[in-house]
């Protein structure tokens, strides 16, 4: 098991986990896990980008206002944002090369998110576990799916 620093979050939430919170029929398991581990959760800059990109694409109106308020008043107030640091950058490059060597090239954004989790000794929480299988084969990435 990873040796965690008690002051830092243990779980890095992928955007599909954070966006689940505001769905009309949100997964009970996801909501329960976030409530249980709230202070131990963070998001990363690429996941924040995904949310902001979705926000910017929306036409002006209720949905855009609601999403903007959720991002600013909830997501950014509740979760720390982990950045793409030099350490993450180095891990990211290593992951991509190792995955290519085993014939399993990985998408840039998924491997970037995984590298941020690894650089911060965090468990990546995502619904898209299959997106990270090749990365797990070439690194010590820990993943949890809170939808299960």
């Amino acid at each position: 098991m990873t040796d965690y620093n008690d002051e830092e979050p243990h779980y890095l939430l992928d955007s599909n986990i954070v966006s689940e919170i505001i769905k009309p029929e949100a997964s009970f398991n996801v909501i329960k896990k976030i409530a249980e581990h709230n202070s131990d959760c963070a998001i990363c800059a690429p996941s924040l980008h995904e949310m902001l990109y979705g926000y910017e694409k929306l036409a002006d109106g209720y949905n855009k206002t609601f999403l903007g308020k959720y991002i600013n008043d909830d997501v950014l107030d509740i979760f720390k944002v982990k950045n793409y640091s030099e350490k993450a950058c180095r891990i990211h490059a290593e992951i991509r090369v190792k995955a290519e060597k085993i014939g399993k090239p990985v998408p840039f954004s998924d491997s970037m998110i995984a590298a941020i989790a690894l650089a911060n000794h965090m468990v990546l929480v995502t619904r898209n576990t299959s997106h990270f299988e090749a990365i797990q084969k070439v690194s010590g990435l820990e993943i949890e799916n809170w939808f299960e």
Side-chain angles (χ1 to χ4, degrees), residues 37-104:
H37 301 290
N38 197 339
S39 63
D40 287 337
C41 295
I43 61 170
C44 64
S47 292
L48 177 58
H49 167 266
E50 288 178 5
M51 287 182 274
L52 291 170
Y53 179 70
Y55 165 79
E56 292 294 342
K57 284 177 57 174
L58 288 173
D60 287 342
Y62 175 79
N63 287 343
K64 186 169 187 170
T65 301
F66 179 77
L67 183 58
K69 186 168 176 36
Y70 172 67
I71 292 169
N72 289 312
D73 295 350
D74 297 319
V75 174
L76 293 175
D77 277 353
I78 296 169
F79 304 117
K80 289 183 181 180
V81 178
K82 295 295 184 177
N83 291 315
Y84 186 59
S85 64
E86 179 184 345
K87 182 177 180 181
C89 187
R90 292 178 183 279
I91 292 169
H92 188 197
E94 186 178 307
I95 286 170
R96 292 183 67 210
V97 168
K98 285 181 176 180
E100 287 170 6
K101 284 183 179 177
I102 65 166
K104 305 258 185 207

Side-chain angles (χ1 to χ4, degrees), residues 7-146:
E7 275 108 58
E8 290 298 317
H10 299 167
Y11 298 103
L12 187 67
L13 306 182
D14 199 358
S15 56
N16 56 50
I17 300 296
V18 178
S19 65
E20 186 67 18
I21 297 169
I22 58 171
K23 288 188 177 175
E25 295 183 23
S27 164
F28 175 77
N29 285 346
V30 171
I31 302 303
K32 181 177 175 234
K33 286 285 206 174
I34 289 173
E36 287 173 4
H37 301 290
N38 197 339
S39 63
D40 287 337
C41 295
I43 61 170
C44 64
S47 292
L48 177 58
H49 167 266
E50 288 178 5
M51 287 182 274
L52 291 170
Y53 179 70
Y55 165 79
E56 292 294 342
K57 284 177 57 174
L58 288 173
D60 287 342
Y62 175 79
N63 287 343
K64 186 169 187 170
T65 301
F66 179 77
L67 183 58
K69 186 168 176 36
Y70 172 67
I71 292 169
N72 289 312
D73 295 350
D74 297 319
V75 174
L76 293 175
D77 277 353
I78 296 169
F79 304 117
K80 289 183 181 180
V81 178
K82 295 295 184 177
N83 291 315
Y84 186 59
S85 64
E86 179 184 345
K87 182 177 180 181
C89 187
R90 292 178 183 279
I91 292 169
H92 188 197
E94 186 178 307
I95 286 170
R96 292 183 67 210
V97 168
K98 285 181 176 180
E100 287 170 6
K101 284 183 179 177
I102 65 166
K104 305 258 185 207
V106 293
F108 187 87
S109 59
D110 289 342
S111 53
M112 177 187 259
I113 291 167
I116 294 169
L118 287 162
N120 290 283
H121 308 287
M122 298 174 79
V123 175
L124 176 61
V125 180
T126 184
R127 183 177 206 165
N128 302 328
T129 56
S130 63
H131 293 191
F132 297 93
E133 287 173 355
I135 296 167
Q136 285 185 290
K137 290 181 181 180
V138 298
S139 72
L141 181 66
E142 293 179 61
I143 293 179
E144 290 186 14
N145 180 355
W146 287 357

